[in-house]
Amino acid sequence: MTDRTTPDGLLEALDAYEAALMANDLDALDDAFVEAPDTMRGDDRGLLVGHDAISAFRGARGGVATRTLTRVEVRTLAEDLALVVSVSAFTAGGNGLQTQLWRRTDGVWRIAAAHVTGRTKAFDTTIWRVVGDPLVPATDSGPLDGTTVAVKDLYAVAGHPVGAGNPTYLRESVPQAASAVAVASLLAAGASIRGIARTDEFAYNLTGRNEHHGTPPNGAVATALPGGSSSGSASAVRLGTADIGLGTDTAGSVRVPASYQGLWGLRTTHDLVPRDGLLPLAPSFDTVGWLTRDADLLARVLDASVPVLPDPDAAPTVTVAADLVAAADATTQEAFRAFVGEDLPVLTLAELGIPPLEDLRETMRLVQAAEATAAHGPWIAAHPGALSTVVGDRFAAAAANPPAEVAAAVTRLDHLRQTIRQALDGRVLVFPTTPGPAPALTADTAELERTRTATTAMTALASVGGLPAVSAPGLTVGGAPVGISLVGAPGTDRALVRTAERVLRDGADPRLPAVAAD
């Protein structure tokens, strides 16, 4: 260690901080940082501002790898202020670098700002299952030349097994002979596969939290969950390690992470893109979808995957869906109303002839549960203990639904789908994608289940209707992104993307004020 005019007590405070890190002593670590709203900590996953935000992040992190400091450089800036730069050597190999601004108050040294450079990673295993340079090259040239894709670990990729977010399932899987249709379309248009991205187990979750592989980072809010189940694909796109996230959307698994991370996300019209080579969850709702950082690339991906898609004869009427706005939390409702202004037409579901949100959500829940049990119940029964607690409990609850209620929901679905489709003929509904920003990394299971219930009430309209839905990055609530959702008639996917782009850029209607994406 190098000690150059080191102020009294500083190195002792640094040693105590390192000891607390190795013990994951959260109380001591909290006390090591200045308790103030402007205290900062940054790393490759983002910047945290405020003691509370730093504490919440640390509580969800689960400790750090064992390390020792091999070099410390101190520069005294003032009597009670010092800059400390230290090099750490990890027991498992590799070095890290920490830059800290220490401040002394009442004789006690604490960290006022810190930046951490961790040891070099081969790749982030919370985001990726496997990566390459590329993993699979493009098979032809086209509109996606030079772009890279993060493929959700439900799709067949030639030469690789499907893992479905579960290590036991992955061990038993075999390399696929051919890629899924949705994958092959991107390769034929000039895109290459960067890697296979993590997913919630069997796509039966919306948080992005995976007990087996960890939680992918939310590239927009470091202290928040990324959203799922297309979590790894979304995080890869947000962080710039892929241009396109190939996901699936059953009950919102593209739209939710798009909303939480400030991305463009498209759930396509049900059955518009073939699902050959896709591991199912609930075929009545499963759809192919993509995540991108901008609308132009999303439109090119759609064109490459669905080359023949007629445009509607007339521009749709953009209408605010009152019930869906009311389903969001109060701050999100306020941000949404400020976004759209007061001149767009507003209609309730009843005025559109559509049943209440709870009816749609409950129908989707029951049918999805029955189909998920049919798809994966036998494997789950043969592998007790293979699932994480949350997803295992969800599958158990799905299998326990009363048969009469399930049968009624299955019977009801076709009528609801036709009703919704008729109501949206020539119309686009606009509303917040999710009830609010992403939940915190530290949110407990009960809170996340409440969020899931509230979220699926808002995503069920498109899922039950089998409709295309775009989530565009339009709102900022409490400093975090919340998407603007547009849902249109079946087959209007391309027009819907263009309409969403106009809403964010110029306004979809002369009465809609011009806005820009955050």
Side-chain angles (χ1 to χ4, degrees):
M1 290 187 179
T2 299
D3 179 358
R4 298 183 180 179
T5 63
T6 302
D8 291 342
L10 177 58
L11 291 182
E12 290 78 4
L14 177 62
D15 289 341
Y17 172 71
E18 286 293 315
L21 270 179
M22 295 304 98
N24 198 32
D25 185 337
L26 298 181
D27 290 337
L29 291 170
D30 280 350
D31 188 56
F33 277 73
V34 175
E35 189 170 353
D38 59 352
T39 300
M40 297 187 292
R41 181 196 180 279
D43 61 16
D44 61 337
R45 292 195 169 197
L47 175 66
L48 304 173
V49 179
H51 185 275
D52 290 347
I54 296 169
S55 178
F57 162 79
R58 194 183 294 115
R61 179 179 56 185
V64 299
T66 304
R67 72 186 192 190
T68 57
L69 299 186
T70 58
R71 181 177 180 182
V72 176
E73 292 285 343
V74 178
R75 301 294 183 268
T76 302
L77 305 179
E79 183 177 356
D80 295 314
L81 197 66
L83 180 69
V84 177
V85 180
S86 56
V87 178
S88 52
F90 289 88
T91 302
N95 294 322
L97 185 72
Q98 299 78 235
T99 302
Q100 300 161 334
L101 182 66
W102 288 78
R103 179 179 296 153
R104 180 166 53 188
T105 304
D106 297 328
V108 178
W109 286 99
R110 291 185 174 88
I111 301 168
H115 182 268
V116 180
T117 301
R119 57 179 171 165
T120 301
K121 298 178 182 178
F123 59 91
D124 189 334
T125 55
T126 68
I127 298 175
W128 300 102
R129 198 195 86 203
V130 58
V131 296
D133 187 27
L135 184 69
V136 181
T139 58
D140 207 338
S141 182
L144 301 181
D145 283 353
T147 61
T148 56
V149 185
V151 177
K152 186 175 185 176
D153 195 11
L154 296 178
Y155 287 95
V157 175
H160 297 271
V162 174
N166 182 277
T168 303
Y169 191 89
L170 175 62
R171 282 196 298 271
E172 297 182 355
S173 296
V174 297
Q176 299 295 298
S179 293
V181 170
V183 174
S185 296
L186 300 177
L187 293 171
S192 61
I193 305 303
R194 171 62 52 80
I196 298 173
R198 299 296 190 187
T199 175
D200 292 321
E201 290 173 280
F202 297 102
Y204 210 7
N205 204 7
L206 287 174
T207 66
R209 184 179 285 173
N210 188 309
E211 293 180 18
H212 304 291
H213 308 120
T215 303
N218 182 322
V221 185
T223 56
L225 290 167
S229 60
S230 305
S231 51
S233 300
S235 295
V237 171
R238 175 68 202 206
L239 294 171
T241 54
D243 301 307
I244 302 161
L246 175 58
T248 63
D249 191 305
T250 302
S253 289
V254 162
R255 291 167 284 166
V256 171
S259 179
Y260 287 173
Q261 298 199 49
L263 296 170
W264 285 81
L266 173 64
R267 168 201 164 87
T268 55
T269 298
H270 189 253
D271 281 339
L272 180 68
V273 181
R275 285 176 278 123
D276 305 64
L278 170 63
L279 188 72
L281 175 65
S284 291
F285 310 111
D286 293 346
T287 57
V288 173
W290 309 282
L291 299 117
T292 62
R293 293 184 295 274
D294 61 74
D296 176 70
L297 180 55
L298 185 61
R300 284 190 282 139
V301 170
L302 177 61
D303 288 345
S305 302
V306 189
V308 179
L309 192 60
D311 288 329
D313 294 332
T317 300
V318 180
T319 303
V320 174
D323 307 60
L324 287 148
V325 176
D329 62 38
T331 52
T332 300
Q333 291 184 42
E334 182 181 356
F336 177 82
R337 292 188 180 108
F339 175 87
V340 301
E342 299 180 353
D343 294 326
L344 277 181
V346 179
L347 290 175
T348 65
L349 293 184
E351 290 170 328
L352 289 165
I354 299 174
L357 291 180
E358 179 57 27
D359 290 2
L360 304 182
R361 188 195 72 80
E362 186 65 3
T363 299
M364 180 177 70
R365 183 186 72 83
L366 289 167
V367 177
Q368 180 186 29
E371 294 185 352
T373 300
H376 302 298
W379 185 90
I380 293 168
H383 297 81
L387 294 178
S388 64
T389 300
V390 169
V391 177
D393 287 349
R394 182 162 293 124
F395 271 105
N401 285 327
E405 293 184 14
V406 172
V410 170
T411 300
R412 192 165 59 242
L413 177 60
D414 283 344
H415 175 69
L416 284 175
R417 180 158 291 182
Q418 291 306 313
T419 298
I420 293 169
R421 289 184 168 202
Q422 290 171 10
L424 267 70
D425 186 22
R427 189 182 301 277
V428 167
L429 297 184
V430 60
F431 50 91
T433 303
T434 52
L441 283 168
T442 53
D444 61 23
T445 300
E447 179 182 348
L448 293 179
E449 284 302 305
R450 289 192 295 271
T451 300
R452 177 185 176 86
T453 299
T455 302
T456 52
M458 300 179 71
T459 59
L461 176 72
S463 295
V464 171
L467 301 175
V470 174
S471 182
L475 305 179
T476 300
V477 178
V482 175
I484 294 287
S485 190
L486 288 87
V487 176
T492 62
D493 305 55
R494 183 176 290 113
L496 193 65
V497 173
R498 286 205 301 267
T499 299
E501 190 175 20
R502 287 199 302 272
V503 167
L504 266 69
R505 186 189 63 220
D506 304 320
D509 183 285
R511 297 167 294 175
L512 185 67
V515 293
D518 289 314

